[in-house]
Amino acid sequence: MANYESNSPWYKTPINANYLEIYSKRTIPAANDDITYEIEPQYSYRPDLLAYDLYGTPRLWWVFAQRNPDVIEDPIYDFAPNTTIRIPKLSNLKNDLGL
């Protein structure tokens, strides 16, 4: 049985025997101090690189899709250059995810 870390998108998904139950989506609430960001070409289809540069770990790649569900449906292929998204600050993520 696997246990997921608090920075994982599957952290709140129940585990039954050797498999995950139905996915429990983790929400990233909007905050007044979220940053508006236009995805630059060097981060094309690579949310892990942007997560590393912003948060110091590529494991938070999924945060961008969870925070922008109206813009990013597919967390990889919708992470295209010139797409404008909202990015939570690291301090807010630490509070929301319990990091």
Side-chain angles (χ1 to χ4, degrees):
M1 174 167 35
N3 290 320
Y4 292 94
E5 295 179 11
S6 62
N7 63 0
S8 170
W10 300 281
Y11 180 69
K12 291 191 174 186
T13 302
I15 300 172
N16 185 359
N18 294 322
Y19 60 91
L20 287 171
E21 293 287 342
I22 295 173
Y23 175 63
S24 293
K25 186 176 181 179
R26 296 183 76 180
T27 57
I28 307 297
N32 291 333
D33 59 352
D34 283 350
I35 301 163
T36 301
Y37 178 77
E38 187 173 301
I39 300 171
E40 299 175 52
Q42 69 259 32
Y43 299 117
S44 297
Y45 315 110
R46 294 296 305 268
D48 59 323
L49 294 179
L50 181 59
Y52 181 79
D53 287 347
L54 291 176
Y55 305 131
T57 178
R59 292 181 179 196
L60 292 173
W61 61 270
W62 58 274
V63 167
F64 307 121
Q66 297 295 47
R67 176 60 188 86
N68 300 279
D70 54 330
V71 178
I72 301 175
E73 191 170 317
D74 182 300
I76 304 300
Y77 292 110
D78 289 343
F79 208 79
N82 304 318
T83 302
T84 301
I85 60 173
R86 301 285 293 167
I87 296 177
K89 290 186 175 183
L90 180 58
S91 58
N92 294 343
L93 274 182
K94 286 183 177 183
N95 289 334
D96 295 337
L97 302 179
L99 300 176

